[in-house]
Amino acid sequence: MARTKERVSLEAALQPGQKPTLKTIAQMSGLAVPTVSRALNDAPDIGQSTKQLVRRIADEIGYVPNRAGVRLRTGRTNVISLVMSTEHDNHTSRLISSVAGGLQGTRYHLNVMPHSPRDDLMKPVKYIVETRSADGVILNQIEPEDPRVAYLMERNFPFATHGRSKWADQHPYYDFDNEAFGTQSMEILAARGRKKVLLIAPPTTQSYSLHMISGLSTMAAKRGVVLEVLQGVTSDDDVHSIFRVIRDALRADPSWDAVAAAGTAAAVATTSACEELGRIIGEDIDIISKDANRFLAIFRSSILTLPEAVGAAGDFLARAVIQAIQHPELPPMQYLEVPPKG
């Protein structure tokens, strides 16, 4: 056990204008410098109370590790990169904040690397791997045969995905069970007597879109309900585009009596279209959607919703990628969130 020294105040440990260092934390905590370093690096032989003390002092004095020095000593950056599209729904901010929350109290810092869906999806991932600018990567908008996943697996580079690829049994992931969402949504709509359902789906290149369509179409066939995927837009498009397309579809065929929306923007756009056309939500037409932040329940109580825990996803993904970095020998962390029935 490291010998504990007498603690000192911040004023005694630092000269005016001097930046906090490991030595500063050591002086303030009464611990040896190597013990402080190992505590900040989450060493297994350091007690949890010691780690909490060291991290609390580090936060209080604004200690920032010298990343160049850390990389030279360990080969690590202590950075995790979240690679995300710049064009996505309101899940983006919640996922970023929840991943950041999951990294609190660890040695890792979050770097968000945005990219346009019109750009080469491989470019940011290859940059991270080739420059070793992060120790691990978190990806979303996963395709069944996602080239990013294949690339990272081939190079044994630690990563976790928000969504499942065809190789999901081999890598860490957190996913919402969109097939169950589709099944439950169609059961609810059929029980309410709906006969014709339009789906505003995510891009069908992505795994979760295929899962959702599968769940809806299977149950629609069982219940004798007509299901059609709305053409011309996806749930990832801007709300104005979705509004115009769903409004025109409902105007052209007023017999549509339900809309399944893959996300908040699609549900809001459909609501506006219905109100412009004089349709009454909950009476002559139903809207059902995932609702990650309970916004829709407040926006219009007549919208039918199933919850999705995006906050839990970010926290889990943070822990999953850390395990992949630190303990690659362990089975990958995986979780499939099933929407509650009723």
Side-chain angles (χ1 to χ4, degrees):
M1 180 180 293
R3 184 166 56 89
T4 302
K5 300 176 292 185
E6 183 179 356
R7 300 185 186 186
V8 300
S9 66
L10 177 60
E11 290 76 13
L14 276 182
Q15 297 297 320
Q18 184 181 2
K19 291 183 178 180
T21 65
L22 292 177
K23 184 177 179 181
T24 311
I25 301 173
Q27 291 175 318
M28 294 182 65
S29 64
L31 299 168
V33 171
T35 304
V36 170
S37 177
R38 292 180 63 76
L40 287 173
N41 284 298
D42 202 26
D45 60 330
I46 302 297
Q48 191 61 33
S49 60
T50 300
K51 293 177 183 178
Q52 290 174 350
L53 170 65
V54 170
R55 288 168 182 161
R56 178 178 59 78
I57 293 174
D59 289 341
E60 288 175 355
I61 66 176
Y63 169 74
V64 178
N66 183 322
R67 298 211 179 282
V70 170
R71 187 167 183 174
L72 283 173
R73 292 194 307 273
T74 67
R76 301 284 193 188
T77 64
N78 289 349
V79 171
I80 290 173
S81 282
L82 175 59
V83 181
M84 299 193 71
S85 170
T86 55
E87 294 182 7
H88 204 239
D89 60 21
N90 66 343
H91 285 193
T92 299
S93 60
R94 290 178 61 82
L95 188 60
I96 293 172
S97 63
S98 60
V99 171
L103 296 178
Q104 284 187 343
T106 74
R107 76 179 80 167
Y108 296 97
H109 296 259
L110 179 64
N111 173 57
V112 179
M113 181 171 285
H115 68 86
S116 169
R118 291 177 293 276
D119 294 338
D120 179 6
L121 295 180
M122 291 298 300
K123 186 176 179 180
V125 175
K126 285 184 175 180
Y127 174 84
I128 292 167
V129 173
E130 291 171 1
T131 63
R132 293 286 162 172
S133 54
D135 296 335
V137 176
I138 297 174
L139 305 171
N140 74 340
Q141 295 183 307
I142 303 301
E143 299 176 1
E145 296 186 2
D146 200 301
R148 301 169 299 172
V149 172
Y151 174 82
L152 292 167
M153 289 176 62
E154 181 182 340
R155 283 155 182 77
N156 292 317
F157 194 88
F159 71 98
T161 62
H162 189 204
R164 287 169 290 166
S165 73
K166 66 177 289 185
W167 309 289
D169 61 322
Q170 303 174 51
H171 67 77
Y173 69 80
Y174 185 107
D175 199 9
F176 180 82
D177 192 340
N178 284 280
E179 186 164 0
F181 165 78
T183 299
Q184 292 185 32
S185 294
M186 189 58 71
E187 284 182 320
I188 291 169
L189 294 174
R192 292 173 61 84
R194 302 309 181 186
K195 297 299 183 183
K196 292 186 64 176
V197 180
L198 271 173
L199 168 63
I200 307 175
T204 53
T205 55
Q206 296 175 23
S207 297
Y208 83 108
S209 179
L210 303 179
H211 297 156
M212 185 181 298
I213 293 170
S214 174
L216 281 159
S217 59
T218 299
M219 185 54 61
K222 289 182 179 179
R223 301 298 295 267
V225 176
V226 174
L227 173 70
E228 184 175 304
V229 178
L230 184 67
Q231 301 300 305
V233 289
T234 73
S235 60
D236 279 5
D237 286 311
D238 68 272
V239 69
H240 302 288
S241 298
I242 299 172
F243 166 77
R244 288 192 295 270
V245 174
I246 189 65
R247 178 196 58 190
D248 292 347
L250 294 176
R251 177 184 287 154
D253 184 356
S255 66
W256 293 110
D257 57 10
V259 176
T264 303
V268 170
T270 304
T271 300
S272 296
C274 288
E275 292 177 351
E276 180 173 304
L277 296 172
R279 305 292 297 270
I280 302 174
I281 300 169
E283 294 187 18
D284 66 330
I285 191 167
D286 276 325
I287 302 172
I288 192 163
S289 175
K290 292 191 290 184
D291 194 6
N293 55 12
R294 307 305 297 162
F295 168 79
L296 294 175
I298 297 173
F299 172 66
R300 294 289 189 279
S301 60
S302 54
I303 297 176
L304 306 169
T305 61
L306 291 171
E308 179 180 6
V310 176
D315 179 77
F316 184 92
L317 289 168
R319 292 185 286 112
V321 75
I322 288 173
Q323 178 180 285
I325 294 167
Q326 298 181 349
H327 299 286
E329 75 282 0
L330 294 178
M333 290 177 60
Q334 301 168 341
Y335 189 79
L336 183 62
E337 176 194 346
V338 179
K341 290 189 176 182

